[in-house]
Amino acid sequence: MYAAVEHGPVLCSDSNILCLSWKGRVPKSEKEKPVCRRRYYEEGWLATGNGRGVVGVTFTSSHCRRDRSTPQRINFNLRGHNSEVVLVRWNEPYQKLATCDADGGIFVWIQYEGRWSVELVNDRGAQVSDFTWSHDGTQALISYRDGFVLVGSVSGQRHWSSEINLESQITCGIWTPDDQQVLFGTADGQVIVMDCHGRMLAHVLLHESDGVLGMSWNYPIFLVEDSSESDTDSDDYAPPQDGPAAYPIPVQNIKPLLTVSFTSGDISLMSNYDDLSPTVIRSGLKEVVAQWCTQGDLLAVAGMERQTQLGELPNGPLLKSAMVKFYNVRGEHIFTLDTLVQRPIISICWGHRDSRLLMASGPALYVVRVEHRVSSLQLLCQQAIASTLREDKDVSKLTLPPRLCSYLSTAFIPTIKPPIPDPNNMRDFVSYPSAGNERLHCTMKRTEDDPEVGGPCYTLYLEYLGGLVPILKGRRVSKLRPEFVIMDPRTDSKPDEIYANSLISTVIDSCNCSDSSDIELSDDWAAKKSPKISRASKSPKLPRISIEARKSPKLPRAAQELSRSPRLPLRKPSVGSPSLIRREFPFEDITQHNYLAQVTSNIWGTKFKIVGLAAFLPTNLGAVIYKTSLLHLQPRQMTIYLPEVRKISMDYINLPVFNPNVFSEDEDDLPGDAIWTD
């Protein structure tokens, strides 16, 4: 076999990822058909739980076709937990997601018409040690650290519960392959066996000195009925570029093995809980996390290498790194994947028909491509060349036949699409629509007021992997009206330096409200090729702009405030209808102030216009009209007019997209508008 970490940028969240779970995605065209496993596992959804109490649901894909259509929304950030999320568990037969937090709260989420909502809530007030669905998805097993165990239905009805009196804590709980018994592991090395009705069957001591970390079977987590139709009868079928070409015999024909992981790093392979002569795997790792693949023929064991003698390097102490070891059903070691990760691997999970292994280490997420067969020379050459190249575009520089160049390019196609395709091209990303039909959902946060720039600052974040990625910054420029300026992501000296590095920045709690950035990267974020911003290379502060106060007898105080604020000046416009002509801004070079656009409004804050300030954007970027009835007897209406902005030549950049005269204080609607009723 062969395994290698996927090439590309390091995928990161803004907090530590604590748990993972993956499920296949059923295409809309096949929802009424029996499930065909090969097409079913080409796409899927990865659930992550992080230290901020947010659950991320992110789309993944293993096929190597760039033109393959994706869902309109490829990421969901589910909020509701009040503490860090420690467990996420998919229920594939019923398409539900169970999440548990550190305070004992359990949520069961369900998706309906593209939106996620909480279907069930259970909060006993005690910490949950494990949550497991039965293999048919109809029942849930919940075990608590204080010895309380519960079995309920998928609809929330309690079947039975029991209080197990122990001197130690329950660490894990699983179902047997036939769902007729449940097994619990304890911190003192015991296994407790109960039947599906809650009757106690056995207490077995497996290890006197080591506690049980986890238990699993080399058996499919869920039994999905496979289709008898051919795997190639779909129009969008493409032969797998990696992974097993011919899938092995279903694991149901093989006697399941019970796998028990101990705190010492040893792993026991047992035919049953009362096996007297188990096969013991001495992994030599600590903080072990183990999981069988779906087919049950490969066991992945991840952990930190254990060193008997700590040495010293000339430049400092010897650093430990995480590694992944693979074993077969006989406990024989097959392959070792060495990584450069310096932090423990918290969680792993298999996906995409066992061709991907997903690993979480701190805030970073790594994707490992796994080849179950003996690796071919072509595959080894592909990985060696891809490791030497930095980017996908470098493949075209090689003197190779087109077919080999196409095969080499598949090594750079990511399983999890990054939120921003090219961090060095952030300006185009925020200025022009994407080529596909994806919808990018964002969150805006207000930061503390900065007197140097004159008003409150805001940062627009893109939701991704349960975290937030900063893409735009803006600030308010008027204390009288809700008017704002949006900063250009491109800085004067180094293009998009701030935003390119913010993708792998550890904490995005606060931002520098000017156009410069003071973010430094931590080496814990990326194990390799992590650029770092020097504090000495900061771009200059946003210059203060001196303007003349408006000569209006009704606004003397506002005029004084405007003289002290950095609001962009206008050339004697009317209070109700600010002008949109670019020459009215007294700047010969707008780009030196890093302004991308300005949002202007009327005095009542019911009509807004978006004005392009950068030279590569049209002047008129859109308008928003907000209407309410006098006594709120009618629904509120918001009219949004956004013309399509395309990347065109400079000869056409100043052509008007719509007539700015249609926007005035006396008119109510815009032609061709879209009305949203609240």
Side-chain angles (χ1 to χ4, degrees):
M1 66 157 293
Y2 182 79
V5 178
E6 196 169 72
H7 302 281
V10 179
L11 304 174
C12 292
S13 180
D14 59 357
S15 60
N16 291 337
I17 300 175
L18 305 178
C19 48
L20 300 173
S21 182
W22 186 89
K23 80 171 184 70
R25 171 178 179 261
V26 181
K28 291 184 178 180
S29 60
E30 300 184 7
K31 285 187 177 293
E32 305 300 330
K33 302 180 182 179
V35 174
C36 179
R37 285 182 179 271
R38 179 173 297 181
R39 291 195 302 272
Y40 178 65
Y41 287 109
E42 282 185 351
E43 300 176 350
W45 294 94
L46 175 67
T48 60
N50 61 27
R52 292 192 175 184
V54 181
V55 179
V57 180
T58 307
F59 176 75
T60 64
S61 174
S62 64
H63 50 69
C64 298
R65 294 175 56 184
R66 295 182 183 272
D67 56 348
R68 189 73 171 264
S69 61
T70 59
Q72 284 190 342
R73 185 169 181 178
I74 60 175
N75 185 86
F76 296 86
N77 281 9
L78 310 182
R79 298 176 177 87
H81 290 282
N82 296 323
S83 59
E84 58 186 17
V85 179
V86 295
L87 289 172
V88 288
R89 295 288 187 271
W90 281 111
N91 186 333
E92 286 195 29
Y94 289 87
Q95 298 294 299
K96 296 183 180 182
L97 176 63
T99 59
C100 308
D101 58 35
D103 294 336
I106 302 175
F107 290 3
V108 177
W109 306 79
I110 189 171
Q111 188 180 23
Y112 180 72
E113 293 184 352
R115 295 185 178 183
W116 285 92
S117 59
V118 178
E119 184 184 42
L120 299 172
V121 178
N122 183 13
D123 190 357
R124 182 174 167 268
Q127 190 173 3
V128 179
S129 60
D130 205 354
F131 185 104
T132 309
W133 296 102
S134 60
H135 293 83
D136 58 0
T138 59
Q139 299 180 88
L141 171 64
I142 308 173
S143 55
Y144 294 86
R145 292 192 178 274
D146 59 0
F148 184 81
V149 295
L150 182 148
V151 172
S153 67
V154 68
S155 59
Q157 299 177 351
R158 178 179 297 194
H159 288 174
W160 59 268
S161 60
S162 179
E163 187 82 28
I164 302 177
N165 297 321
L166 297 172
E167 297 180 357
S168 61
Q169 296 179 341
I170 294 179
T171 57
C172 58
I174 60 171
W175 295 84
T176 54
D178 57 0
D179 293 336
Q180 296 301 310
Q181 296 177 355
V182 291
L183 282 67
F184 302 98
T186 65
D188 57 358
Q190 295 187 62
V191 171
I192 302 171
V193 185
M194 305 177 70
D195 66 5
C196 60
H197 302 291
R199 291 188 292 266
M200 187 69 65
L201 297 181
H203 278 249
V204 180
L205 179 62
L206 298 183
H207 208 292
E208 294 182 356
S209 58
D210 294 335
V212 177
L213 282 180
M215 296 188 298
S216 62
W217 297 88
N218 65 333
Y219 194 80
I221 300 177
F222 296 104
L223 300 178
V224 181
E225 181 181 356
D226 203 353
S227 171
S228 58
E229 59 180 309
S230 172
D231 287 339
T232 60
D233 60 354
S234 176
D235 296 336
D236 56 0
Y237 169 75
Q241 302 292 335
D242 51 7
Y247 297 107
I249 300 174
V251 76
Q252 290 88 335
N253 299 334
I254 304 174
K255 187 176 181 180
L257 288 176
L258 175 62
T259 305
V260 184
S261 305
F262 297 97
T263 54
S264 61
D266 297 342
I267 299 174
S268 295
L269 304 181
M270 312 170 65
S271 60
N272 206 346
Y273 62 86
D274 55 357
D275 189 357
L276 299 179
S277 56
T279 301
V280 180
I281 298 175
R282 310 289 182 182
S283 66
L285 305 175
K286 63 178 182 178
E287 302 178 13
V288 168
V289 182
Q291 189 175 26
W292 285 98
C293 67
T294 305
Q295 296 299 320
D297 61 339
L298 202 60
L299 175 66
V301 180
M304 300 293 293
E305 58 180 339
R306 187 186 298 274
Q307 298 176 352
T308 56
Q309 296 179 356
L310 297 177
E312 291 285 335
L313 293 177
N315 297 331
L318 186 63
L319 297 177
K320 298 181 181 180
S321 60
M323 61 175 54
V324 184
K325 296 184 177 182
F326 297 89
Y327 300 87
N328 59 15
V329 293
R330 295 181 294 274
E332 301 170 350
H333 177 252
I334 299 177
F335 187 82
T336 299
L337 175 63
D338 295 319
T339 67
L340 298 177
V341 183
Q342 305 298 330
R343 305 180 67 170
I345 296 177
I346 303 299
S347 178
I348 63 174
C349 71
W350 291 87
H352 296 289
R353 195 64 170 175
D354 302 335
S355 65
R356 300 291 189 274
L357 180 66
L358 303 138
M359 306 185 305
S361 176
L365 179 66
Y366 300 90
V367 181
V368 178
R369 296 194 179 190
V370 181
E371 172 72 30
H372 291 244
R373 303 172 299 176
V374 177
S375 56
S376 63
L377 181 60
Q378 188 180 26
L379 175 62
L380 296 177
C381 292
Q382 179 203 47
Q383 294 297 321
I385 298 175
S387 301
T388 305
L389 301 178
R390 293 184 177 181
E391 298 178 352
D392 185 16
K393 61 183 180 181
D394 296 334
V395 176
S396 59
K397 302 178 182 178
L398 302 177
T399 56
L400 293 175
R403 184 175 180 181
L404 292 180
C405 287
S406 177
Y407 176 72
L408 183 58
S409 299
T410 59
F412 293 94
I413 300 178
T415 300
I416 303 176
K417 183 179 179 182
I420 299 173
D422 187 4
N424 294 323
N425 198 16
M426 176 70 73
R427 174 186 282 179
D428 289 347
F429 178 79
V430 300
S431 301
Y432 307 112
S434 59
N437 62 342
E438 301 142 10
R439 295 181 180 178
L440 305 178
H441 289 251
C442 303
T443 297
M444 182 178 293
K445 286 187 177 182
R446 174 175 174 173
T447 59
E448 296 296 331
D449 296 352
D450 191 344
E452 293 186 5
V453 298
C457 301
Y458 300 85
T459 303
L460 187 68
Y461 297 92
L462 189 66
E463 298 181 354
Y464 182 68
L465 285 177
L468 300 175
V469 178
I471 58 175
L472 276 180
K473 296 180 182 180
R475 62 180 177 85
R476 188 168 180 173
V477 294
S478 173
K479 294 184 179 180
L480 181 63
R481 301 168 180 240
E483 298 185 351
F484 309 85
V485 289
I486 302 173
M487 305 301 176
D488 190 347
R490 184 180 296 273
T491 59
D492 294 336
S493 57
K494 297 182 180 180
D496 304 342
E497 184 183 49
I498 302 170
Y499 296 86
N501 291 281
S502 296
L503 295 179
I504 52 175
S505 177
T506 309
V507 179
I508 318 289
D509 282 335
S510 60
C511 70
N512 189 355
C513 299
S514 66
D515 60 335
S516 62
S517 178
D518 198 29
I519 299 176
E520 284 199 16
L521 297 178
S522 172
D523 291 335
D524 293 337
W525 263 102
K528 186 178 181 182
K529 297 180 181 179
S530 298
K532 182 177 289 188
I533 298 177
S534 174
R535 292 182 183 268
S537 63
K538 294 187 297 181
S539 57
K541 292 286 184 178
L542 183 70
R544 294 179 60 86
I545 305 170
S546 60
I547 62 175
E548 296 181 358
R550 294 183 179 181
K551 299 179 180 180
S552 173
K554 297 182 180 180
L555 299 174
R557 183 173 301 177
Q560 297 175 5
E561 295 293 341
L562 287 172
S563 63
R564 297 193 300 266
S565 67
R567 183 186 176 190
L568 298 179
L570 304 176
R571 186 179 60 184
K572 296 182 181 180
S574 61
V575 176
S577 179
S579 178
L580 286 176
I581 302 176
R582 194 190 305 276
R583 64 176 182 271
E584 294 185 354
F585 297 95
F587 302 122
E588 295 181 358
D589 186 7
I590 296 293
T591 58
Q592 67 179 353
H593 299 284
N594 293 323
Y595 294 146
L596 189 67
Q598 182 190 19
V599 180
T600 62
S601 73
N602 59 3
I603 192 66
W604 298 282
T606 58
K607 296 182 180 181
F608 301 86
K609 279 186 292 190
I610 307 173
V611 185
L613 301 182
F616 58 89
L617 289 177
T619 305
N620 307 317
L621 292 179
V624 179
I625 296 178
Y626 181 78
K627 294 198 312 181
T628 57
S629 60
L630 181 60
L631 299 177
H632 298 281
L633 300 179
Q634 299 294 330
R636 295 174 293 179
Q637 292 183 349
M638 180 183 293
T639 304
I640 302 177
Y641 185 87
L642 293 177
E644 184 176 2
V645 179
R646 295 184 179 181
K647 194 172 184 179
I648 57 178
S649 62
M650 294 301 297
D651 297 336
Y652 301 95
I653 199 69
N654 291 320
L655 289 179
V657 181
F658 68 95
N659 185 4
N661 295 327
V662 302
F663 184 91
S664 64
E665 296 296 330
D666 300 328
E667 297 187 29
D668 295 332
D669 296 321
L670 288 173
D673 53 10
I675 298 178
W676 291 2
T677 302
D678 197 4

